[in-house]
Amino acid sequence: MHWTIERLRLAIVVVAALLLLSILGSILYGRWRIRHAVQDLPARLGIQIKSTTQGFVLSKSDEGRKLFTLHAARAVSFKMGGRVLLHDVQIDIYNRQNDQADSISGKDFEYDQDSQVVIAQGEAHIVLHPPPSHSEATSNDAEQIIHVTTHGLIFHQKTGEATCNGEVDFQYSKSTGKALGAQYYSKTGQLILQSQVVLTTEMQNRSAVVHAARAVYDRESSQVHMAQPRYLSTGSTGDQHGSASAATVYLRMDGSAERLDALGSVDIASAAGTGVRSSSMRVDIDENNQPQQAHFTGGVQLTQNQATQQTVGTARNAVVDFNAQGHAKQVTLDGDVDFRQQIDADKNDLHRRLVASHLVLHLKSTSPHPKNAKGQNSEAQLQLAQASGGAVFTSQNAVEGHPEQETSLGAQTMQATFASGNQIQHLEGAGQTSIRMVAKNGDIDTSTGDRLTVDFLTGMPKADAIGHGRAEDANAQSIRMAVQTGNVVLQQVSTKKTGGSGDLKDSQKSTATADRAEYVGATDTLTLTGKPVFRDEELEMTADRFAFERAGGNMVATGSVQTTVRARSATGAEGLLSGNQPTHVVARRAQVIHDSQQAVFTGHARLWQGANSIEAPVIELSQKMQTLTASGNGSCTQCVRTTFLGKSVPKPSTDPANANISTAANAGDIAARDSNRGPSTFRVLSQRLLYSDAERKATFFDHVQAISSGDNIFADQAEVFLTPSNSHSQARTVAARSADAESKSSVQSNNSPQSAVERIVATGHVVVEQPGRRGTGTRLLYTASDGKFVLTGNGASPPQVMDSIQGTVTGQVLTFSSETQAIIVSGSPNDAAVTKTRVQKK
């Protein structure tokens, strides 16, 4: 047969038709096979299957309640192994009270009909909807849905559990994260992220990353549990971080966080340098994801580290309240509160400590901003602190080049306000208030009272060019002024040290009481008002006002000053300034100088000890030197008025033989007197007085006048010697040193209970006046034991006695007495014989 073009065309058409029929037959056969495989699947599974035109549908119910429905666009069944391949699968799971199901979806799945397990071939997606109690749909429902992307997901039909061992990606609201391995329990709506959980979210308008060893989302309880959570938040003001052994987040109906609980080694640090550590923590969160209140229990430690300031606080429990912007506005600490703060500036250190049972810190509501030039963040600024339960505030100030100072303040309740830089500015205390201050010289001052107010200096002292703190800045951040009122009791312990060893040698204690005490730091002085009383081992004083210089231990008293000096004596003798008998002083003003142990009284000062007394504009006592000085103010002639107790005065003798002028040979006859005597006193007027207790001598200067029982002595200077009064001694002999009489006379001691005049030595222009008699000379010796006056002079001015009856008598030494008219003349200006006359005194 010959092939023509027509036959060739016909053959091609026939072949194409046969090929088309063959392909069409193959397709029809394949579809027939698939239809038979799908029709045989229900019998093998024992499950109701509903077939639609869109693909394959598989569902399961229990007692009329739908459990799940599986949708697949295509299903392929294999004879071997009972496996079924599903494509474009979505499994809707109904284990909740509403009709909105969770879902598992993916491109390719394999279904094992024997084990009833569905295995994803590649990515699979889990969608968890809000809790069933969230009945009404809201605009943010989409944000509450949890989207989970898994790899190698296995869904167990019998238990409703889905597991994945591979990488997991998840998303919730604006948060995204990753994990390794996941478990999903459809019956409870619980999602478990098995390990290496990393969540990226936003906290307080700052990006944050949360790491956890494990995380569990429990839809029924609306809780998220995390194991070993750690978070790091970054922002323009710095980084924040926190960690704990475990944490639980409680969710609201709308899916937002309502509360956060953390347990075990809780550690939080803010961008402002503030940190918190505790055993457990609970944080309440508002609808805007901002903290409202945080509770820390089981031992709490708060820290704040800044460039020049470090703060550490501890307590058993703590509560932090936040403002609407999420910044701490109040911190409340309970149980064994201990707050320590150190402020460093240049080469100066300030250490502060507050202990109490309860403490509330109020913080200023300032918005965070970039760090300032000093690297400090102003987010945590103290405004007010309220402490109660035996609160004690201690401040130690160490400035290079100056001694360290320490101050402690205590009260049952205490309130402090702060300036910038968290520096304490003002403090008020009530109930059993106390102050304890260690001065530069080591003295320790303590005081107690009902109420206390303290103002502090703010700002740290600056160093000068050579690196030493300036003297005017030495008290910076220490007390500017402190006022204590109500039953104030003060005590000072002055400790002396040996020269080189620094060991304690001895200490002196003094106390004071008043209604009000005021301390001024600039002058380091303490002022007492309101019936103040001061006492120490040797002194008791009252006045309208006391002012103490703490550094030097000096004191100034003003207004109605009354003082009692309890002088000491090793022998037990009683006398002026020494012994057991106290010395009393009144004046308008008194100054006590600590180091020299001096007391200066001014303004109508009056001192007395027993019957002895001194009045002068100025009286100065030196306890260390055992001396007394009294002087005028320069405008008076005789400003010092002194009264001394004299020896007993013998009664005038009735023997007419004693009424004659006698020679020295008859002096022994005059010494015999009646033993019955009466008391006498000596009043001395002068411009200035110096008394030495060691010498038992009072020296009077300028315009001296001594008055006693009708005897007046005038001189430029006079020395009054007092007799010692010692109850343990029977007699004492005093050598009266004069040209002749002093060397021969001896005086028996008087057992009077107090000091008395033993003798008087007057020099200069001496004048002696007695009734009807006047004597002049340059030196006079008076002995109180026998009432004798021994008057001497010099070649230019010989002694002279002018008597209204006897006339004028002169000689080298004139001896006479106020009891008799007799005058003993020793020698004469021209060495002539001495005339003796005896005239009875009328």
Side-chain angles (χ1 to χ4, degrees):
M1 177 184 293
H2 299 282
W3 290 93
T4 63
I5 294 176
E6 291 78 4
R7 291 179 179 178
L8 183 59
R9 291 176 178 172
L10 179 60
I12 292 172
V13 171
V14 172
V15 173
L18 292 175
L19 181 60
L20 180 61
L21 289 174
S22 176
I23 294 172
L24 181 60
S26 298
I27 293 174
L28 293 175
Y29 178 75
R31 296 184 66 180
W32 179 80
R33 290 287 305 271
I34 292 174
R35 185 178 297 111
H36 277 73
V38 172
Q39 290 175 356
D40 293 340
L41 188 59
R44 298 173 183 173
L45 299 179
I47 301 176
Q48 297 179 3
I49 297 177
K50 183 178 180 180
S51 179
T52 64
T53 58
Q54 287 80 13
F56 174 76
V57 176
L58 174 66
S59 64
K60 183 178 180 178
S61 300
D62 182 17
E63 297 181 356
R65 184 170 62 89
K66 186 184 296 185
L67 298 180
F68 72 87
T69 299
L70 185 151
H71 300 268
R74 186 163 60 96
V76 178
S77 177
F78 297 90
K79 291 183 178 181
M80 300 301 294
R83 295 181 303 118
V84 178
L85 295 180
L86 305 175
H87 302 280
D88 296 332
V89 177
Q90 178 171 326
I91 305 173
D92 295 327
I93 304 170
Y94 302 91
N95 286 304
R96 306 187 306 123
Q97 296 176 356
N98 58 10
D99 294 331
Q100 192 172 23
D102 294 337
S103 64
I104 298 175
S105 61
K107 188 67 176 176
D108 296 308
F109 283 79
E110 179 181 314
Y111 181 72
D112 188 334
Q113 59 181 348
D114 294 332
S115 60
Q116 298 185 2
V117 173
V118 179
I119 304 173
Q121 305 297 312
E123 282 190 2
H125 304 278
I126 302 175
V127 177
L128 279 74
H129 288 277
S133 57
H134 190 70
S135 56
E136 297 182 2
T138 60
S139 59
N140 64 344
D141 274 351
E143 296 183 358
Q144 301 176 44
I145 298 174
I146 300 176
H147 298 270
V148 183
T149 301
T150 66
H151 298 271
L153 178 69
I154 301 175
F155 176 69
H156 300 269
Q157 175 188 330
K158 294 180 180 180
T159 61
E161 176 185 351
T163 61
C164 169
N165 294 326
E167 292 185 359
V168 176
D169 297 316
F170 58 92
Q171 180 179 353
Y172 177 78
S173 184
K174 298 179 181 180
S175 303
T176 60
K178 294 180 178 293
L180 184 61
Q183 291 177 287
Y184 165 65
Y185 295 91
S186 61
K187 293 182 179 180
T188 60
Q190 188 179 71
L191 175 65
I192 300 176
L193 303 176
Q194 294 179 341
S195 64
Q196 301 181 24
V197 181
V198 180
L199 172 67
T200 301
T201 185
E202 187 175 292
M203 300 175 65
Q204 295 180 274
N205 300 320
R206 298 162 57 96
S207 62
V209 178
V210 180
H211 296 262
R214 188 171 183 266
V216 178
Y217 167 68
D218 191 337
R219 184 168 56 195
E220 288 187 349
S221 62
S222 296
Q223 296 177 9
V224 177
H225 305 276
M226 291 178 287
Q228 299 178 8
R230 295 176 293 111
Y231 87 90
L232 175 64
S233 175
T234 59
S236 59
T237 57
D239 295 339
Q240 298 178 353
H241 62 83
S243 62
S245 298
T248 300
V249 180
Y250 296 83
L251 303 177
R252 290 188 180 86
M253 300 284 291
D254 59 1
S256 61
E258 181 180 22
R259 194 177 98 198
L260 169 65
D261 288 355
L263 296 174
S265 302
V266 178
D267 188 354
I268 299 174
S270 72
T274 302
V276 183
R277 293 181 179 178
S278 66
S279 298
S280 62
M281 176 188 71
R282 168 183 169 175
V283 181
D284 297 325
I285 305 172
D286 64 13
E287 292 81 357
N288 298 320
N289 200 30
Q290 300 287 3
Q292 289 181 306
Q293 192 176 67
H295 298 258
F296 300 90
T297 57
V300 184
Q301 182 185 71
L302 284 77
T303 59
Q304 185 181 57
N305 296 315
Q306 296 182 351
T308 60
Q309 186 178 118
Q310 298 81 42
T311 303
V312 178
T314 58
R316 289 202 296 265
N317 305 306
V319 178
V320 181
D321 293 290
F322 299 86
N323 59 17
Q325 291 74 37
H327 302 305
K329 66 178 182 180
Q330 180 175 300
V331 179
T332 303
L333 299 101
D334 272 310
D336 300 327
V337 180
D338 190 343
F339 239 77
R340 300 171 184 262
Q341 185 179 64
Q342 179 177 346
I343 300 177
D344 305 320
D346 297 329
K347 298 182 180 181
N348 308 315
D349 295 329
L350 173 66
H351 299 268
R352 298 186 299 191
R353 183 183 183 186
L354 175 64
V355 296
S357 298
H358 181 79
L359 176 63
V360 180
L361 303 176
H362 299 266
L363 308 178
K364 289 184 178 179
S365 302
T366 57
S367 300
H369 58 75
K371 295 179 180 180
N372 55 33
K374 295 183 179 180
Q376 298 179 353
N377 192 294
S378 61
E379 194 173 347
Q381 173 62 55
L382 276 174
Q383 185 177 24
L384 180 68
Q386 297 170 311
S388 59
V392 177
F393 173 81
T394 304
S395 176
Q396 289 180 324
N397 187 30
V399 180
E400 184 172 337
H402 299 278
E404 183 176 296
Q405 299 181 66
E406 178 179 328
T407 302
S408 295
L409 310 174
Q412 286 300 311
T413 60
M414 190 178 294
Q415 179 172 297
T417 56
F418 294 82
S420 60
N422 294 335
Q423 298 181 81
I424 188 169
Q425 188 175 34
H426 180 76
L427 183 145
E428 295 183 2
Q432 300 177 0
T433 66
S434 64
I435 303 177
R436 183 181 186 273
M437 305 177 72
V438 179
K440 298 176 182 179
N441 61 356
D443 291 352
I444 300 175
D445 295 341
T446 59
S447 66
T448 59
D450 296 336
R451 300 194 65 84
L452 173 67
T453 60
V454 183
D455 291 324
F456 292 84
L457 293 170
T458 57
M460 286 301 298
K462 299 179 181 180
D464 57 24
I466 59 175
H468 295 284
R470 299 195 305 268
E472 61 267 26
D473 296 320
N475 289 327
Q477 252 304 298
S478 59
I479 292 177
R480 185 178 68 85
M481 178 180 289
V483 177
Q484 199 169 23
T485 57
N487 302 310
V488 179
V489 179
L490 301 96
Q491 185 179 89
Q492 182 183 73
V493 178
S494 302
T495 303
K496 297 181 181 180
K497 298 182 179 181
T498 58
S501 64
D503 297 334
L504 298 182
K505 184 178 181 181
D506 55 13
S507 61
Q508 295 179 347
K509 182 184 295 185
S510 60
T511 61
T513 60
D515 293 334
R516 187 178 190 271
E518 178 180 309
Y519 171 75
V520 178
T523 57
D524 201 21
T525 58
L526 179 66
T527 302
L528 305 182
T529 54
K531 301 178 181 179
V533 179
F534 173 81
R535 298 180 180 90
D536 63 11
E537 296 176 357
E538 300 177 355
L539 184 70
E540 180 173 340
M541 182 181 293
T542 62
D544 295 337
R545 181 178 181 270
F546 286 139
F548 297 88
E549 298 177 4
R550 291 183 58 252
N554 302 330
M555 178 183 69
V556 175
T558 55
S560 303
V561 179
Q562 299 183 26
T563 305
T564 299
V565 181
R566 296 182 292 273
R568 296 176 295 179
S569 174
T571 62
E574 297 177 353
L576 189 64
L577 295 181
S578 65
N580 300 323
Q581 194 171 25
T583 301
H584 307 279
V585 187
V586 295
R588 292 179 180 175
R589 184 180 187 273
Q591 181 179 8
V592 178
I593 304 173
H594 178 269
D595 292 341
S596 60
Q597 300 181 26
Q598 289 179 296
V600 180
F601 300 88
T602 57
H604 297 287
R606 181 174 182 268
L607 178 149
W608 71 94
Q609 185 183 60
N612 301 326
S613 66
I614 301 172
E615 295 183 42
V618 180
I619 298 177
E620 180 178 335
L621 298 177
S622 176
Q623 197 70 16
K624 183 177 182 180
M625 302 301 296
Q626 285 293 287
T627 60
L628 179 150
T629 303
S631 60
N633 53 18
S635 61
C636 58
T637 302
Q638 292 178 325
C639 294
V640 181
R641 295 172 174 83
T642 306
T643 301
F644 291 118
L645 180 67
K647 289 288 186 178
S648 297
V649 179
K651 290 183 179 180
S653 176
T654 58
D655 187 358
N658 292 331
N660 299 325
I661 300 177
S662 304
T663 64
N666 296 326
D669 297 334
I670 302 176
R673 300 182 305 277
D674 195 322
S675 60
N676 187 13
R677 302 175 177 181
S680 67
T681 59
F682 281 89
R683 184 184 182 194
V684 183
L685 306 179
S686 66
Q687 178 71 23
R688 188 161 60 93
L689 163 66
L690 173 62
Y691 171 78
S692 173
D693 197 58
E695 300 178 278
R696 307 291 292 160
K697 180 178 70 173
T699 304
F700 298 88
F701 303 91
D702 302 330
H703 308 288
V704 181
Q705 180 180 356
I707 304 170
S708 175
S709 302
D711 300 324
N712 292 338
I713 301 174
F714 301 88
D716 295 335
Q717 180 175 317
E719 295 177 340
V720 178
F721 294 87
L722 304 180
T723 60
S725 178
N726 190 341
S727 59
H728 300 287
S729 61
Q730 299 299 321
R732 177 175 177 178
T733 302
V734 179
R737 303 183 181 275
S738 64
D740 51 4
E742 286 184 75
S743 61
K744 297 178 181 179
S745 64
S746 61
V747 182
Q748 294 182 346
S749 65
N750 190 314
N751 291 328
S752 174
Q754 59 187 0
S755 295
V757 173
E758 183 180 72
R759 67 183 187 275
I760 299 175
V761 178
T763 58
H765 296 83
V766 179
V767 176
V768 181
E769 290 184 351
Q770 294 177 339
R773 178 184 293 172
R774 185 174 188 273
T776 61
T778 59
R779 188 177 187 275
L780 173 70
L781 170 64
Y782 166 78
T783 54
S785 60
D786 53 10
K788 284 184 179 181
F789 295 87
V790 179
L791 183 64
T792 60
N794 53 38
S797 300
Q800 178 178 284
V801 175
M802 293 174 288
D803 191 277
S804 59
I805 298 176
Q806 303 297 331
T808 301
V809 179
T810 62
Q812 290 183 343
V813 179
L814 301 181
T815 304
F816 52 92
S817 173
S818 59
E819 287 85 12
T820 66
Q821 194 67 34
I823 301 176
I824 300 175
V825 181
S826 300
S828 65
N830 299 319
D831 295 327
V834 178
T835 303
K836 301 178 182 179
T837 59
R838 301 179 63 88
V839 180
Q840 184 176 358
K841 186 176 181 180
K842 297 181 180 181

